[in-house]
Amino acid sequence: MMKRVYFLILFFIVTLEVNAGFDPTAKGGRSASMAYNSVTSNDFWSVFNNQAGMAWDAKLAVGAFFENRYFVKEMSTRGLGITIPVAKNDVFGLSFSQYGYSAYNETKVGISYAKVFANRVAAGLQMDYLRVASTTENGTKGIFTFEAGLQSKVSKKMTIGVFAFNPIHTILSDYNGYNEYVPVVLKFGLSYKFSEKFTLLSEAEKDLHFDPILRVGGDFKLNDHFFIRGGMSTGVVQYSIGVGTVWNGFTFDIASSFHQVLGVTPTVSLNYNFKMTKKSTSSL
């Protein structure tokens, strides 16, 4: 009984924190380890986070992640993604993620495309199908929306990125005259590569209904195979830390973020590149 009460209270707090449904927080262990910085990254997880990033080094790749928010299994998120190149800087992506448990869950399916223009700017677009399933009288609902992003390599060291999720302000449901909207989220970020070993990332996120969130994170490359990362964000302050390894096409990342009120959220992710470059390097 107490566990159920605790879960309901926690679910209510988190719902207020992330708006009603479909939290657009970045996916994958690498982003989670840097306070969910993602808008300038061009790793595999761009297929979830900013599709423009897929295009810089398009590879046939597949990956999966799992996040257990605050160690409450009913609030876990899991997902699968794949990137399919059609040219050196043209790539399609498919992504699937699901949050929740049997009595309530949110499913997101995305089909994306990204391309580089003039060797300086990459653009990505994803069409989303969002589905909510509940055992309550609200039942099951499904809607369509989209997300889009841009990245520009200002120099060899600096990258800027912008991203918009659901800019059309889609209505999730209309219940007794009350409209429940999918969040409208805008992100702007900048990353700077100080050296071959260290990259600093920063990001601002604005949900239409909430105050902006600022994030900063760092990626330190120990060698060609091992990475250490950390970050923090504003709002209700969160800290994060994580490690990653790259080996024979596999990339494995594990991270923990620390919410000052709700506790710890562990994240793990694994992806595999079917076509490797000659030398493994850290993404931006």
Side-chain angles (χ1 to χ4, degrees):
M1 181 64 182
M2 287 303 299
K3 182 178 179 181
R4 181 175 297 180
V5 171
Y6 169 76
F7 169 67
L8 291 174
I9 293 172
L10 188 59
F11 184 86
F12 177 72
I13 292 173
V14 174
T15 300
L16 291 177
E17 180 186 307
V18 301
N19 205 351
F22 299 101
D23 175 15
T25 299
K27 306 301 188 289
R30 181 174 184 268
S31 293
S33 66
M34 298 185 291
Y36 299 100
N37 269 283
S38 65
V39 74
T40 60
S41 296
N42 55 23
D43 57 8
F44 168 80
W45 300 101
S46 296
V47 71
F48 288 93
N49 301 330
N50 181 359
Q51 290 75 24
M54 299 189 299
W56 293 113
D57 190 19
K59 292 185 177 73
L60 177 62
V62 62
F65 77 92
F66 179 78
E67 177 187 271
N68 188 7
R69 188 172 295 181
Y70 315 124
F71 283 108
V72 179
K73 65 179 182 179
E74 291 86 356
M75 299 176 67
S76 63
T77 305
R78 49 273 178 194
L80 297 167
I82 184 171
T83 56
I84 307 170
V86 293
K88 180 179 179 181
N89 294 121
D90 286 292
V91 60
F92 284 97
L94 299 172
S95 60
F96 167 88
S97 61
Q98 187 176 71
Y99 163 84
Y101 65 118
S102 58
Y104 177 86
N105 59 78
E106 301 168 1
T107 301
K108 177 183 177 184
V109 180
I111 301 176
S112 54
Y113 174 72
K115 182 178 178 64
V116 172
F117 299 90
N119 296 321
R120 285 287 184 179
V121 177
L125 175 68
Q126 176 165 296
M127 304 304 297
D128 294 323
Y129 174 70
L130 311 178
R131 177 179 178 270
V132 175
S134 172
T135 56
T136 68
E137 58 186 286
N138 291 332
T140 301
K141 298 181 182 298
I143 56 171
F144 290 92
T145 187
F146 75 95
E147 55 195 86
L150 292 171
Q151 287 184 356
S152 176
K153 292 193 175 183
V154 180
S155 68
K156 290 182 178 180
K157 294 180 178 291
M158 181 182 295
T159 300
I160 61 174
V162 294
F163 174 77
F165 173 71
N166 186 41
I168 56 178
H169 208 198
T170 305
I171 297 176
L172 180 61
S173 64
D174 182 358
Y175 182 70
N176 290 336
Y178 172 74
N179 291 332
E180 183 181 14
Y181 291 92
V182 175
V184 177
V185 176
L186 305 176
K187 298 181 182 181
F188 172 81
L190 183 150
S191 64
Y192 191 84
K193 194 169 187 176
F194 284 90
S195 69
E196 288 300 314
K197 289 186 175 295
F198 181 70
T199 302
L200 182 69
L201 301 90
S202 61
E203 182 176 303
E205 175 185 309
K206 180 66 175 79
D207 186 302
L208 189 64
H209 299 288
F210 293 93
D211 293 334
I213 297 173
L214 302 179
R215 301 186 174 97
V216 63
D219 185 332
F220 182 74
K221 177 182 176 181
L222 294 175
N223 53 48
D224 284 346
H225 300 292
F226 296 100
F227 303 85
I228 298 175
R229 307 176 180 113
M232 67 173 296
S233 64
T234 62
V236 178
V237 178
Q238 295 192 62
Y239 303 93
S240 61
I241 192 169
V243 296
T245 181
V246 179
W247 204 279
N248 291 333
F250 287 96
T251 300
F252 176 73
D253 293 294
I254 184 168
S256 288
S257 61
F258 307 89
H259 190 291
Q260 65 182 22
V261 177
L262 301 176
V264 178
T265 295
T267 303
V268 295
S269 62
L270 176 69
N271 60 279
Y272 178 73
N273 292 329
F274 288 91
K275 182 179 180 180
M276 291 292 293
T277 57
K278 291 183 180 180
K279 184 179 180 181
S280 298
T281 58
S282 176
S283 55
L284 294 178

